[in-house]
Amino acid sequence: MMGNNSFDYSFKVLLIGDSGVGKSSLLLSFISSNPVQDLSPTIGVDFKIKQVTVGGKKLKLTMWDTVCFIAAGQERFGILTSSYYRGAHGIILVYDVTRRETFTNLLDIWAKEVEVYSTDHECVRILVGNKVDRESERAVTREEGMALAQEHRCSFFECSAKTRENIQQCFKELILKILEAPSLLRDGSVVVKRQIMKQKQGQEGPHSRGCCS
């Protein structure tokens, strides 16, 4: 197991979007050098951890992958709880360039959830159009993706989890932007978290007890 001393910052990253857009595949393509196979839909919430070093700082990325449950052939967009979004340093909004409804839902549903539940206004957001290796099936133009990203003031990448096109660049951009945000940097600092814990312990004192102790 990894101790707290082995990294300088710990960042929480969310991947959101319709089921089947390739969120799990994007994650695996980023953390593993093995070829990415077709994956079964994620049930519930899954997460992956990766350690990277940027600018001499050791970072621990905890990357959460979400799912929409499918019932009777229809997407049921259950509202993700605020606790899931709480404390997120980065959010990657993913759609499938070959399925237009996944792009529309990103605008109509997911982007609105981010606005409501994201707890830090500096939280970095990146828009990703996945599956560009299937260019002949494209249903969303690159220009449309760029326009949506510009509207929401976030970076934009078209990627392929299968060929790994732009995968590393996408996550690198996310990390660099998090490191540029003072509140996110402070929130993700392991040193700051240790200091806060010590302050709380000092305030409570070694002999503090509840009224019913």
Side-chain angles (χ1 to χ4, degrees), residues 81-99:
T81 61
S82 57
S83 61
Y84 178 77
Y85 282 94
R86 188 180 302 124
H89 302 89
I91 298 176
I92 300 177
L93 299 104
V94 187
Y95 67 94
D96 177 348
V97 299
T98 72
R99 292 166 55 209

Side-chain angles (χ1 to χ4, degrees), residues 103-119:
F103 180 74
T104 304
N105 288 337
L106 210 58
L107 177 61
D108 294 342
I109 298 171
W110 297 107
K112 291 178 181 177
E113 278 204 354
V114 171
E115 292 295 334
V116 172
Y117 292 110
S118 182
T119 55

Side-chain angles (χ1 to χ4, degrees), residues 22-38:
K23 300 185 297 294
S24 299
S25 296
L26 285 171
L27 270 184
L28 286 177
S29 184
F30 174 57
I31 67 175
S32 172
S33 59
N34 297 323
V36 176
Q37 306 296 327
D38 289 335

